[in-house]
Amino acid sequence: MNLVPMADILNKANEGGYAVGGFNINNMEFLQAIVQAAEETRSPLILQTSEGALKYIGMDYVVGMVQAATKNTTVPVALHLDHGSSFEVIMQCIRNGYSSVMIDGSHYPFEENVRLTRKVVEAAHAVGVSVEAELGRLGGTEDDLSVDEKDASFTDPEEAEEFVKRTGVDALAVSIGTAHGVYKGEPKLDFDRLKEIKERIKIPVVLHGASGIPEADLKKAVSLGVCKVNVNTDFQQAYAAKVREVLANDPEVFDPRKICGPGREAIKAAVIEKIMFLGSNGRV
Ligand code: G3H
Ligand code: ZN
């Protein structure tokens, strides 16, 4: 596969003051739409699969499709495992050619998160693969990952500094008020906390659960040092809305290409919009 380590993409974003989307692949249409959007806007690209998407699509199909999609790409592309739950899953992704992995030990006590993340960093860095980790816990739902609001917790800036020093991770996902999935109320981001985290850690900071966050807040987060912004639900909703519209407009339609094709176009338009908000267009 024609891939680069995610750290190459994010270190440039960190220096340049913009963010790159971590865009989730759910099926072939998502992959094609996201790659086309990045090509057209000349944006570096981080394609990511959750473990749920891997289960749904299958590792061989993910690798085969990404191989096909990146054969002629002219922008740098990283393939990243999103919310990796164990050392074993991470090793499986590395063996299959992923150029980046996330180990999500955010539900473990601090010392256990450090130990597991350090172990992943040692193995991944030995073969040139980047590592993202998470400290603090986001609420909401993504695939099989569901965290009740009462169990969510914000990232402690002092702990973040210690965590980065002891693990050697390339990027750190922080919890500052975003949540996975659809927001019940209005999301309130703790920008002071983000500022303090960024003063203490120099590596790229990652914002998860970015769907539904207003443009102004996203831009502010980027201006305060967020370099990777994860989006999935917004694109799923764009796809579903278009497919519903097609089916409602023509009750006779049955060809999946006439149903999913417009859905693919809707994802692409939503991805382009997000790339522009994040400022990664024209950075190649
Ligand atoms: O890891 C993936 C993201 O955090 C996506 O979150 O579906 O709320 O945009 P979202
Ligand atoms: Zn996430």
Side-chain angles (χ1 to χ4, degrees):
M1 280 182 287
N2 193 13
L3 302 173
V4 301
M6 184 171 75
D8 289 5
I9 293 174
L10 290 186
N11 290 339
K12 281 189 192 128
N14 206 9
E15 281 161 28
Y18 60 94
V20 177
F23 297 143
N24 287 69
I25 310 167
N26 294 283
N27 61 16
M28 184 189 73
E29 280 76 14
F30 273 75
L31 173 61
Q32 291 175 324
I34 292 167
V35 170
Q36 281 174 21
E39 274 290 324
E40 277 179 27
T41 55
R42 310 300 305 142
S43 168
L45 178 58
I46 301 164
L47 291 169
Q48 53 189 30
T49 57
S50 64
E51 289 184 16
L54 263 175
K55 254 186 249 161
Y56 175 75
I57 304 170
M59 177 64 86
D60 288 347
Y61 280 91
V62 167
V63 170
M65 287 196 305
V66 171
Q67 208 153 21
T70 56
K71 202 169 160 199
N72 297 312
T73 42
T74 56
V75 298
V77 181
L79 177 59
H80 175 73
L81 170 68
D82 190 28
H83 293 286
S85 63
S86 68
F87 187 75
E88 290 68 30
V89 178
I90 278 164
M91 287 302 113
Q92 196 202 354
C93 288
I94 293 177
R95 275 198 302 273
N96 278 281
Y98 278 58
S99 63
S100 180
V101 289
M102 175 185 187
I103 176 68
D104 183 355
S106 60
H107 50 294
Y108 290 124
F110 182 78
E111 284 301 326
E112 180 60 10
N113 193 358
V114 168
R115 191 198 62 77
L116 178 60
T117 303
R118 178 75 218 151
K119 186 175 164 190
V120 167
V121 167
E122 277 167 11
H125 281 186
V127 289
V129 169
S130 312
V131 181
E132 174 185 335
E134 181 165 329
L135 189 65
R137 231 180 150 196
L138 261 71
T141 301
E142 187 182 14
D143 288 346
D144 302 336
L145 192 74
S146 200
V147 178
D148 204 89
E149 276 317 311
K150 67 173 176 12
D151 298 321
S153 58
F154 282 9
T155 306
D156 180 279
E158 208 178 312
E159 275 190 357
E161 187 176 354
E162 186 186 339
F163 186 86
V164 169
K165 265 193 207 131
R166 287 176 60 192
T167 58
V169 279
D170 301 289
L172 185 68
V174 297
S175 176
I176 57 159
T178 57
H180 287 125
V182 179
Y183 285 92
K184 288 186 193 107
E186 200 192 321
K188 287 248 173 313
L189 303 197
D190 186 344
F191 291 114
D192 289 339
R193 183 177 296 269
L194 174 60
K195 226 183 271 171
E196 203 186 328
I197 292 170
K198 202 54 202 177
E199 274 159 19
R200 286 171 177 266
I201 67 171
K202 300 297 164 216
I203 63 165
V205 164
V206 184
L207 191 68
H208 281 243
S211 295
I213 300 293
E215 178 185 348
D217 282 359
L218 266 192
K219 286 186 167 160
K220 187 164 181 191
V222 174
S223 76
L224 292 173
V226 164
C227 310
K228 176 175 182 258
V229 173
N230 282 13
V231 186
N232 188 19
T233 302
D234 272 352
F235 303 151
Q236 291 181 332
Q237 286 182 322
Y239 178 76
K242 180 50 86 176
V243 167
R244 277 194 194 100
E245 184 190 310
V246 170
L247 292 171
N249 286 347
D250 183 0
E252 305 293 317
V253 68
F254 56 84
D255 182 339
R257 294 165 296 185
K258 293 187 177 145
I259 300 167
C260 304
R264 182 172 58 190
E265 286 307 309
I267 300 165
K268 185 177 160 187
V271 174
I272 289 177
E273 185 180 68
K274 211 61 93 179
I275 285 174
M276 304 311 252
F277 288 175
L278 303 181
S280 66
N281 51 302
R283 302 286 183 169
V284 176

